[in-house]
Amino acid sequence: MSVTAPVRRRPSPSRAAAAAVLLALAVSGCSGLGRTAVGPITYVTERDKEISVMSPTVRGCHRMAPAGVKAIENGSLVDMVLYRTRDCTGGGTTYVSRSFSDEKAPRSLPWRSYTFVH
């Protein structure tokens, strides 16, 4: 009985180069899509209208209803910070952990924007 070693083939240089280009395109294409919060952000405006946003991006400032928001439910997988201004600045912020909700205090100003903690 004779035993022979397996034959190993190397990919041709052009095949290896094509694979590298495809990998680079796949990685750059996916990174361009941007990360999302994965899940719904649902809030109730000062005018009692319920609004739901599904999987917003985790980057940047997100504006809410111009009249403001009195209750919010963070159904996403990312913690968020609520602001009383339209541009995510200023004090008096509220931290809402993922899968939690909050309601503003009766005499406080409504929330008008939010960012994600990432």
Side-chain angles (χ1 to χ4, degrees), residues 47-104:
R47 297 179 178 146
D48 293 320
K49 181 177 179 183
E50 186 174 295
I51 298 173
S52 187
V53 180
M54 190 61 165
S55 299
T57 61
V58 295
R59 293 182 139 196
C61 178
H62 300 273
R63 290 183 176 183
M64 294 190 279
V69 171
K70 63 182 178 181
I72 191 160
E73 182 178 341
N74 182 2
S76 77
L77 299 178
V78 183
D79 298 352
M80 62 191 309
V81 177
L82 306 174
Y83 297 85
R84 309 231 181 257
T85 61
R86 302 268 299 147
D87 60 356
C88 298
T89 60
T93 61
T94 302
Y95 188 92
V96 181
S97 184
R98 61 189 175 129
S99 302
F100 275 84
S101 61
D102 200 3
E103 292 185 29
K104 74 173 190 69

Side-chain angles (χ1 to χ4, degrees), residues 5-73:
V7 177
R8 295 182 189 234
R9 293 184 181 186
R10 292 186 181 185
S12 68
S14 61
R15 188 174 267 180
V21 169
L22 286 174
L23 179 62
L25 287 173
V27 171
S28 66
C30 291
S31 65
L33 296 176
R35 289 186 22 211
T36 66
V38 184
I41 304 298
T42 306
Y43 52 88
V44 179
T45 68
E46 286 287 310
R47 297 179 178 146
D48 293 320
K49 181 177 179 183
E50 186 174 295
I51 298 173
S52 187
V53 180
M54 190 61 165
S55 299
T57 61
V58 295
R59 293 182 139 196
C61 178
H62 300 273
R63 290 183 176 183
M64 294 190 279
V69 171
K70 63 182 178 181
I72 191 160
E73 182 178 341

